[in-house]
Amino acid sequence: MDIFSTVIDAIGHTAFTIAFAIIALSIIVAIHEYGHYIVGRWCGIHAEVFSLGMGKPLWQRTDKRGTVWQVAALPFGGYVRFLGDANAASVGTTGDVATARNTMAGAPLWARTLTVLAGPVFNFVSAILIYIALILNTGQAIDPLTVGSFREDVPAFSNDLLVGDVIVQIEDQEINELSDVGESLQTLPFDAQIQYVVERGGDRLTVDGPHPFPASIGSILPRSAAYSAGLQVGDTILSINGEDVFSFAHVQQITEGSGGNELNLTIHRAGEILPISLQPRQRDVQTETGDYVTKWQIGFTGGHLFFEPALESVGIFDAVSGGVQRLWFVLTGTFDAIGRIISGSLSSCNLSGPVGMAQAAGTMASQGIITYINLIAAISIGIGLFNLFPIPVLDGGHLVFFAYEAVTGRKPSEKALQILMVAGLTILLSIMVFALGNDLFCR
């Protein structure tokens, strides 16, 4: 049993969800604010306070540079207050000291720009580093596809494949390289036995085995029917409404055609056969063309093979390339989704707030440390991107002010900054209320 699962049983789901949401948010905020702090320090701007959390300080320490490091009572955010700043958002100045070179207001434009930009950049870089570490830790599948071991969480269907077999064909589809193992294999027959052509000990043999993509649960989506019904990672669906199922694609077909009616599942879990009933929920799903369609779904991901492919280590350059590609994938996917929500082609229920994020953190943590770390990387990217929005009080708003200063040669007036700050806070609070409404009322 994964250690996270043991923790859940010990402290309960609600406390677990809150705890791991706070841990995830604290890590991400600390990275973001440290980016502001360290780049500001390198640029000669003095930080008076580095706060993890908001509100009343619970712990404080002053370092040799005179910066107060503190942990505050409300674990929702954080800030760095630089010398001369009127507030934690670095909007407005206080006192004559605000014109000094070591203040945010008195520093050169390039120094202020780098300091503000550093927060989101540190979020992006930390996500890349997480992805690199995960890639180096797990390695990559050997090409051509080779059986490494058989998954313990998949029922012992009849299987004639052996560890070390090199798979060259599945039914009538040739497997020349790893890229051939994907969506195309989801169209295989929904049969208990599939024909494989393998290379074994210098010979080419035809053997039988289960569907390459069984109806096994790889991860569970937060706020889904699967989550509410108590399905777990590692469960394998054996039948739905009395109809035997042998593949993930078969489950998708039955669920999408259910019309939202109740489904009675028989599942295999750690050697036990259990009944579970649930009602599919509608979700927006991205197609291969990039468009979104609404489908009935149970709310879990599959897609993993019934065996673990043999792995090989990955070089650092390949790992870095993979980390950057994952960052780009998340960024472009997020931009696309935001654009579609604004245009109305994608439901606004896809925008989650603090409750949704907490549920996601608890759900992913319960599925293992790797899944949880992946979520931290994704949220870090999201927070970095959100902070770049051109909204006053966010980093993007400051960058807009700096752009104005670069073009006009003068800063916005204090009065204009105060008005824009109020407008920015209004916009920010409106987004938060809207997202919270989604958390509470969207299903």
Side-chain angles (χ1 to χ4, degrees):
M1 178 181 290
D2 189 285
I3 188 171
F4 279 38
S5 300
T6 304
V7 173
I8 292 177
D9 293 337
I11 66 176
H13 284 272
T14 301
F16 176 88
T17 294
I18 294 173
F20 280 95
I22 290 174
I23 291 171
L25 183 61
S26 297
I27 292 172
I28 294 165
V29 168
I31 291 170
H32 180 95
E33 297 302 333
Y34 187 77
H36 290 314
Y37 162 78
I38 192 64
V39 172
R41 198 181 88 187
W42 292 339
C43 292
I45 303 173
H46 175 66
E48 287 191 305
V49 179
F50 184 109
S51 180
L52 186 59
M54 309 294 284
K56 182 179 180 180
L58 301 177
W59 171 87
Q60 288 183 320
R61 183 183 71 84
T62 303
D63 66 16
K64 62 182 181 181
R65 295 182 176 83
T67 299
V68 177
W69 296 77
Q70 67 182 35
V71 176
L74 300 177
F76 306 108
Y79 61 90
V80 175
R81 191 179 73 235
F82 291 102
L83 181 64
D85 287 348
N87 49 62
S90 295
V91 176
T93 59
T94 179
D96 295 336
V97 72
T99 61
R101 168 61 180 81
N102 63 343
T103 66
M104 176 64 83
L109 181 59
W110 64 265
R112 285 177 278 141
T113 301
L114 290 178
T115 300
V116 169
L117 192 59
V121 169
F122 267 54
N123 282 131
F124 298 149
V125 171
S126 66
I128 292 175
L129 292 176
I130 289 174
Y131 290 142
I132 291 172
L134 292 175
I135 292 170
L136 291 173
N137 178 65
T138 58
Q140 66 182 8
I142 293 175
D143 200 353
L145 180 62
T146 304
V147 179
S149 62
F150 295 103
R151 302 179 64 93
E152 295 181 358
D153 58 353
V154 177
F157 296 124
S158 177
N159 174 35
D160 296 329
L161 278 78
L162 299 177
V163 171
D165 283 349
V166 177
I167 299 176
V168 297
Q169 186 172 320
I170 303 178
E171 289 290 329
D172 60 350
Q173 300 188 37
E174 293 186 2
I175 309 297
N176 297 312
E177 53 189 20
L178 287 173
S179 60
D180 294 329
V181 183
E183 288 294 325
S184 62
L185 293 183
Q186 299 286 4
T187 62
L188 292 172
F190 301 150
D191 296 335
Q193 290 287 279
I194 299 293
Q195 199 172 72
Y196 294 80
V197 178
V198 302
E199 291 182 352
R200 179 187 299 170
D203 298 323
R204 180 166 290 205
L205 307 173
T206 299
V207 298
D208 290 332
H211 194 286
F213 295 108
S216 297
I217 297 178
S219 65
I220 295 174
L221 303 180
R223 300 164 60 193
S224 65
Y227 179 79
S228 300
L231 287 174
Q232 299 178 11
V233 172
D235 289 350
T236 298
I237 299 173
L238 303 178
S239 69
I240 300 178
N241 293 341
E243 180 180 356
D244 292 337
V245 295
F246 302 102
S247 71
F248 179 71
H250 196 185
V251 174
Q252 288 180 305
Q253 182 188 76
I254 294 174
T255 305
E256 290 169 10
S258 68
N261 294 320
E262 184 177 74
L263 300 178
N264 298 305
L265 281 55
T266 302
I267 66 166
H268 173 278
R269 176 184 296 168
E272 293 186 82
I273 306 299
L274 304 173
I276 286 184
S277 296
L278 52 76
Q279 282 190 290
R281 298 175 184 175
Q282 287 187 311
R283 301 181 70 95
D284 293 310
V285 181
Q286 191 171 23
T287 65
E288 293 181 359
T289 62
D291 296 324
Y292 284 84
V293 295
T294 302
K295 294 183 178 181
W296 292 103
Q297 287 193 334
I298 291 176
F300 73 88
T301 64
H304 59 63
L305 297 162
F306 74 91
F307 61 87
E308 296 285 0
L311 301 175
E312 60 184 358
S313 59
V314 179
I316 185 64
F317 292 109
D318 288 336
V320 171
S321 175
V324 173
Q325 288 175 13
R326 291 190 188 185
L327 169 68
W328 182 249
F329 175 79
V330 175
L331 283 175
T332 54
T334 302
F335 272 119
D336 180 65
I338 292 173
R340 291 176 184 274
I341 289 174
I342 293 173
S343 68
S345 62
L346 182 63
S347 171
S348 61
C349 284
N350 288 278
L351 178 66
S352 294
V355 175
M357 192 200 76
Q359 290 176 330
T363 302
M364 297 307 175
S366 69
Q367 296 172 32
I369 183 66
I370 298 299
T371 306
Y372 181 64
I373 292 174
N374 262 306
L375 177 70
I376 289 177
I379 295 178
S380 184
I381 295 171
I383 287 181
L385 181 60
F386 181 73
N387 270 277
L388 287 176
F389 286 179
I391 300 174
V393 312
L394 294 181
D395 296 332
H398 287 284
L399 294 175
V400 171
F401 298 153
F402 297 158
Y404 172 85
E405 182 180 345
V407 171
T408 65
R410 64 179 185 276
K411 298 178 182 180
S413 67
E414 287 287 332
K415 183 177 181 180
L417 286 176
Q418 293 300 328
I419 293 173
L420 290 171
M421 181 180 178
V422 172
L425 284 172
T426 302
I427 294 171
L428 197 60
L429 288 174
S430 298
I431 293 173
M432 292 177 63
V433 169
F434 182 78
L436 181 60
N438 284 349
D439 291 341
L440 298 177
F441 301 112
C442 288
R443 289 179 57 84

